[in-house]
Amino acid sequence: MGQEIQKIRFSPRDFARFRQRLVAETRLAREMAAGGVFDAGPPVTGFEIEVCLLDAQEAPAPVNAAFLERMNDPLATLELARFNVELNTHPHPLEGPVLSSLHRELTATWRRAQAAAESLGCHAFMTGILPTLEPQHLRLGCMSDMKRYRALNRQVLRARQGRPIHLDIKGREHLVMDQRDVMLEAATTSFQIHLQTPVDTAHRVYNAAILASAPLVAAAANAPFLFGRDLWDETRIPLFEQAVETGGYGDVARGPLRRVSFGSGFARESILECFEENLEHFPPLLPLCEDAPAERFIHLRLHNGTLWRWNRPLIGFSADGRPHIRIEHRGLPAGPTLADSLANAAFFHGLVEDLLTLPGGPEGVMAFATARDNFYQAARLGLEAPLRWQGETPIRARELILDRLLPRARRGLERLGLNAADRHDYLGIIAARVHSGQNGARWQRDFAAAHGRDGTALVHACREHQASDHPVHTWDVGGERA
């Protein structure tokens, strides 16, 4: 979905041709995986951060095209709304001082982003949902000027037969509204972790990421407010799931499978099962046909880009041109700081790696339905969520993470060969955050309790803390670091 397309209207013939190529590429992916063609090298990681651009009043600034021109960096790209951009890292082998190296890389990128924004009289800001966002910021006129976004909007509404997107989120408060386009998606900004892994074991990595999702989102929640309403600890989750809903089977909003979801189950024998499910159950949204060799997987990758599992397998290409598999972990919000983001990544990589060592594999820990229920409980209630682990009675997320999962994450990072300083520093941030109970969602609510529901003041205070890169568990609510 990161590539521009050349048209936004499609004929029945376009859909038929696209499906024909999608069938061929899906079959070829299975054959190439069985034939040892995919990259089987050691694990590689990298990140994406979705960023808001703000004006002097801490409101969305629709200047992303000018921002990218000023920043002049191929690792920065447009997002759906004119006030959003995406910042990427280079891929790094998952070993040694990788976390501190990526922290330095992201810090340098972040400073360039801030300089580019400031040259336009703006600020760059990381958050799960922008507290100053209002419905009027999410009209079609605020969509980035790219055909792929206009085509996506057109096809989602076509699949819904013109019916509006209905948002209904029940949390601490209740928000109900209708939207006539897909711009609600732009309200969700995330920190996405990519983990490249050999195709033979990618299904186990995918299953481990599914298990890790609930404790990760509980620890990292940073999106309690939407349009002034106090909803879930990580309101991004229900918001994104409803923002581009078309339905699963057929072109109407019904059926057991959804385009944005936790998934339908564990992968059993191969990660290629996910791409085969894409083919079987989801009609194409953007049937753009290209004359390219099937082994480039152009159509498979475009189709996969219109499906948003919270853990999404991807096919990419390594520097030597060989195809590879990545697992994209999408459940984490952006921010509150780069230090917090790297700590979240440390927890993810360590926990996933350790779960792979369990007898019978990670899928033996619990049923998929339990992992899915855990995820939504964690998104709703954060560190106070009751989670089930290995068939036991529910245990509060805080105790589960501190007593059982952080030790696993430490073992996992050691097994990967990450150096001791990185393991200590970044998992230490998770331990301190969870022990204090203060993730981004808790801090935002405490700030609102102390100062009122003033989104402008909240964003300003958060930006000041963010600039220091001190982790969120050290913040107080008076605008100064604790």
Side-chain angles (χ1 to χ4, degrees):
M1 283 301 295
Q3 300 296 320
E4 180 59 306
I5 63 177
Q6 299 306 313
K7 64 180 182 178
I8 65 173
R9 296 176 183 272
F10 305 100
S11 68
R13 184 168 179 268
D14 290 326
F15 283 94
R17 291 177 61 226
F18 186 91
R19 179 168 176 80
Q20 183 180 39
R21 297 184 185 196
L22 183 60
V23 168
E25 291 176 10
T26 304
R27 184 186 306 117
L28 180 63
R30 174 71 79 163
E31 293 170 357
M32 291 175 67
V37 177
F38 276 71
D39 190 332
V44 175
T45 190
F47 310 135
E48 304 173 27
I49 302 180
E50 294 167 346
V51 175
C52 299
L53 301 174
L54 307 180
D55 63 21
Q57 286 73 47
E58 312 291 0
V63 296
N64 62 0
F67 169 89
L68 291 184
E69 185 176 352
R70 294 289 178 90
M71 191 170 177
N72 191 28
D73 187 332
L75 294 178
T77 62
L78 294 175
E79 275 290 325
L80 174 61
R82 292 177 185 265
F83 52 83
N84 290 146
V85 293
E86 178 183 286
L87 305 178
N88 296 275
T89 68
H90 292 95
H92 288 241
L94 191 57
E95 61 185 14
V98 59
L99 296 173
S100 51
S101 295
L102 277 162
H103 198 165
R104 287 191 296 271
E105 180 182 328
L106 277 172
T107 298
T109 300
W110 186 243
R111 288 172 178 163
R112 293 196 302 274
Q114 288 288 10
E118 289 168 6
S119 73
L120 298 168
C122 300
H123 304 287
F125 181 56
M126 294 178 288
T127 191
I129 295 175
L130 180 63
T132 54
L133 192 69
E134 298 290 346
Q136 62 265 26
H137 298 129
L138 299 176
R139 62 186 190 277
L140 276 179
C142 292
M143 181 180 284
S144 291
D145 188 20
M146 294 189 73
K147 290 179 181 177
R148 67 184 174 102
Y149 292 133
R150 295 198 295 276
L152 177 66
N153 181 69
R154 179 181 176 85
Q155 293 303 313
V156 167
L157 295 183
R158 171 185 170 274
R160 295 182 62 83
Q161 300 177 341
R163 289 171 291 115
I165 291 167
H166 184 64
L167 187 67
D168 187 346
I169 304 175
K170 296 179 181 178
R172 295 191 178 194
E173 297 171 358
H174 192 189
L175 175 64
V176 179
M177 64 177 288
D178 285 344
Q179 181 90 4
R180 292 284 177 179
D181 49 56
V182 300
M183 286 297 290
L184 282 169
E185 180 191 336
T188 67
T189 39
S190 63
F191 172 72
Q192 296 168 17
I193 302 171
H194 288 244
L195 174 55
Q196 181 181 325
T197 188
V199 69
D200 290 347
T201 56
H203 63 296
R204 291 289 175 87
V205 176
Y206 173 71
N207 294 343
I210 285 172
L211 296 187
S213 296
L216 260 291
V217 79
N222 189 38
F225 298 118
L226 174 61
F227 304 146
R229 303 289 179 87
D230 187 350
L231 301 170
W232 292 21
D233 278 36
E234 191 50 46
T235 305
R236 284 175 48 259
I237 303 303
L239 174 58
F240 192 74
E241 289 197 356
Q242 296 177 38
V244 290
E245 179 53 52
T246 64
Y249 299 101
D251 280 344
V252 293
R254 65 171 183 263
L257 299 185
R258 304 295 184 187
R259 286 189 176 266
V260 186
S261 76
F262 194 65
S264 63
F266 292 125
R268 297 179 299 277
E269 297 178 354
S270 170
I271 196 64
L272 276 302
E273 294 163 14
C274 294
F275 299 101
E276 290 160 354
E277 180 180 273
N278 294 352
L279 171 66
E280 182 178 355
H281 294 304
F282 294 96
L285 279 184
L286 300 178
L288 185 74
C289 294
E290 294 191 22
D291 292 324
E295 58 267 24
R296 299 306 295 173
F297 302 115
I298 297 294
H299 306 87
L300 181 151
R301 295 165 71 199
L302 178 59
H303 185 50
N304 191 52
T306 65
L307 299 162
W308 297 272
R309 296 176 181 89
W310 291 111
N311 293 281
R312 178 167 66 176
L314 304 173
I315 294 180
F317 292 88
S318 301
D320 62 1
R322 296 185 71 184
H324 67 239
I325 293 291
R326 299 197 309 276
I327 306 301
E328 179 187 42
H329 183 66
R330 304 174 52 82
L332 296 175
T337 66
L338 293 177
D340 285 301
S341 298
L342 269 295
N344 296 337
F347 189 26
F348 172 80
H349 283 306
L351 183 55
V352 165
E353 179 65 23
D354 191 72
L355 290 171
L356 296 176
T357 68
L358 292 174
E363 54 273 16
V365 172
M366 66 184 75
F368 175 81
T370 302
R372 181 184 57 213
D373 291 346
N374 280 348
F375 178 69
Y376 293 106
Q377 285 278 65
R380 182 181 289 109
L381 300 173
L383 288 169
E384 301 304 311
L387 305 181
R388 294 182 181 273
W389 197 264
Q390 291 186 312
E392 297 179 358
T393 57
I395 179 173
R396 192 168 60 150
R398 289 175 69 173
E399 282 72 37
L400 176 65
I401 293 169
L402 289 172
D403 297 342
R404 301 179 62 178
L405 302 187
L406 272 174
R408 284 194 174 281
R410 292 188 184 98
R411 290 197 300 268
L413 292 185
E414 185 174 7
R415 185 168 180 260
L416 284 166
L418 271 68
N419 70 18
D422 275 12
R423 300 197 308 263
H424 176 272
D425 291 348
Y426 292 107
L427 290 183
I429 290 173
I430 296 292
R433 187 198 306 158
V434 174
H435 180 76
S436 71
Q438 182 165 290
N439 55 19
R442 171 69 177 273
W443 180 85
Q444 288 191 42
R445 286 191 173 117
D446 286 352
F447 186 94
H451 301 279
R453 298 258 184 113
D454 183 341
T456 300
L458 189 153
V459 172
H460 184 76
C462 189
R463 276 202 311 103
E464 287 186 337
H465 284 300
Q466 195 171 94
S468 73
D469 204 27
H470 297 303
V472 70
H473 71 270
T474 67
W475 297 7
D476 67 13
V477 296
E480 300 293 331
R481 179 173 177 246

